[in-house]
Amino acid sequence: MVDSTDSGLPGRGSEWFVPKWGPVKFRTFIGLLFLPYTGMVLSFAVIGSLLAERIHYERLLAIILIYFFGLGIAAHALDALGSKGVKPWGTVFSRSQLWLLATLSLVCAYGIAIYYMIRHVPLLWIVAILEGFFVFAYNLEWFAGMFHTDRWFAFSWGGLPVLAGYVMQTNGISLPALILAVSMGLFSSVEITASRPYKELKRRGTDLNGTEQALLQRYETLLKCISLGVILLGGGLLFWRAAG
C-alpha cells in the first residue's frame, strides 16, 4: 500500500528534500529529482574535473549538465518506472510522462556529451556507454535485477562520475583519478546502504514505534550529512581552484 503523508503527496512526499509548498506535480517533480543525491553525483563529477592540472570551465559546466539530465532527471524517471512493488511517487506522473521525461533528458545529456566526445574527448565514449547501460539496467532492473545492487550503484553513480569529470578535462586517465573514484564510490556505498532501511521505515509512515522512529531519524541525519558533506566538498574545492 502506498502511504499518504501530511504533505499531501503520495509515497515519499514527506521527505526532507521535498518542498512543502506549490502544486502537487511541482513538488513531486522536485522529489523525483532526489536533489541531495543528485547533488552528490554532480559533486563527484566536479571533484574529478578538479584533479586536472588545467580546468576548462565550459567542460566543467557541460559535465554537470550531462549528469543533471542523465541522472537527475532521466535515471530517476526510469527508476520510478522500474520500481517493483510500491512506487515512491505514486501515480502523479503517468508512465507516458515519465518515459517522455527520461527520453528528452537523455537526448539533452547525450547531445552535449557527443559534441565534446567528437571534438575534444573521445575517451569519454567509454564512460558514456557504461553510464547509458546502467541508466537502464540499474533503474529498470534488467536481467532480473542483477545490476540493481549497492555495488553497481556505487560504481555507476559514485566512481564513474569522478572518472567522467577527469576525462572531460584531460581526455586521459590517471592513478589519482582512479583512487579518488574508488573513494567516492565508497561514499556512495555508505549512502545507498543507509538509504535502503531508511526508505523501508519511511514507507510505513506513522506505523512506527518509538525505537523505529528514533532509528528513522538517525538514518535521515546520516543521509543529510553524507549528501550535504559531499556537495560542500565539491563546492569548496571548486571555489579554491577558481580563486587560485
Side-chain angles (χ1 to χ4, degrees), residues 173-187:
I173 200 66
S174 69
L175 181 59
L178 290 171
I179 293 172
L180 192 59
V182 172
S183 174
M184 297 300 105
L186 291 173
F187 276 113

Side-chain angles (χ1 to χ4, degrees), residues 1 24 37 60 81 91 114 132 163 167 172 206:
M1 177 174 80
V24 168
Y37 316 124
L60 178 60
L81 281 164
T91 56
I114 287 170
L163 297 180
V167 170
T206 57

Side-chain angles (χ1 to χ4, degrees), residues 84-103:
K84 300 294 190 288
V86 175
K87 300 296 183 182
W89 304 105
T91 56
V92 174
F93 289 102
S94 66
R95 290 185 63 83
S96 60
Q97 288 173 328
L98 290 170
W99 272 115
L100 181 62
L101 274 175
T103 301

Side-chain angles (χ1 to χ4, degrees), residues 148-191:
H148 194 82
T149 66
D150 294 355
R151 289 182 180 179
W152 286 117
F153 176 92
F155 174 75
S156 58
W157 305 125
L160 280 182
V162 175
L163 297 180
Y166 186 79
V167 170
M168 187 66 147
Q169 295 293 326
T170 66
N171 191 41
I173 200 66
S174 69
L175 181 59
L178 290 171
I179 293 172
L180 192 59
V182 172
S183 174
M184 297 300 105
L186 291 173
F187 276 113
S188 290
S189 182
V190 172
E191 184 275 319

Side-chain angles (χ1 to χ4, degrees), residues 6-217:
D6 294 337
S7 67
L9 299 180
R12 299 181 67 184
S14 63
E15 289 282 8
W16 57 279
F17 51 83
V18 177
K20 307 304 179 188
W21 44 267
V24 168
K25 239 175 186 178
F26 165 76
R27 294 157 66 195
T28 301
F29 177 72
I30 298 300
L32 182 73
L33 297 178
F34 288 97
L35 287 174
Y37 316 124
T38 296
M40 283 182 67
V41 177
L42 300 186
S43 298
F44 293 152
V46 168
I47 291 168
S49 299
L50 296 177
L51 280 180
E53 184 176 350
R54 179 188 174 192
I55 306 297
H56 301 273
Y57 285 98
E58 82 285 353
R59 297 190 196 181
L60 178 60
L61 176 60
I63 201 68
I64 290 171
L65 290 174
I66 288 167
Y67 272 98
F68 178 75
F69 285 120
L71 167 77
I73 301 178
H76 288 140
L78 292 173
D79 188 60
L81 281 164
S83 297
K84 300 294 190 288
V86 175
K87 300 296 183 182
W89 304 105
T91 56
V92 174
F93 289 102
S94 66
R95 290 185 63 83
S96 60
Q97 288 173 328
L98 290 170
W99 272 115
L100 181 62
L101 274 175
T103 301
L104 292 178
S105 299
L106 285 175
V107 168
C108 290
Y110 276 90
I112 298 170
I114 287 170
Y115 170 82
Y116 282 94
M117 290 186 292
I118 291 175
R119 298 201 59 181
H120 303 291
V121 285
L123 191 62
L124 191 63
W125 278 106
I126 298 174
V127 179
I129 291 169
L130 286 171
E131 292 288 41
F133 171 78
F134 284 110
V135 161
F136 292 97
Y138 180 87
N139 293 290
L140 293 180
E141 302 181 32
W142 285 357
F143 309 105
M146 179 187 303
F147 294 97
H148 194 82
T149 66
D150 294 355
R151 289 182 180 179
W152 286 117
F153 176 92
F155 174 75
S156 58
W157 305 125
L160 280 182
V162 175
L163 297 180
Y166 186 79
V167 170
M168 187 66 147
Q169 295 293 326
T170 66
N171 191 41
I173 200 66
S174 69
L175 181 59
L178 290 171
I179 293 172
L180 192 59
V182 172
S183 174
M184 297 300 105
L186 291 173
F187 276 113
S188 290
S189 182
V190 172
E191 184 275 319
I192 194 64
T193 300
S195 179
R196 295 203 188 281
Y198 168 80
K199 288 187 290 186
E200 290 301 319
L201 290 169
K202 197 72 174 175
R203 286 190 186 110
R204 291 173 55 189
T206 57
D207 299 329
L208 300 176
N209 59 38
T211 301
E212 290 171 328
Q213 189 64 43
L215 185 60
L216 176 66
Q217 292 302 316

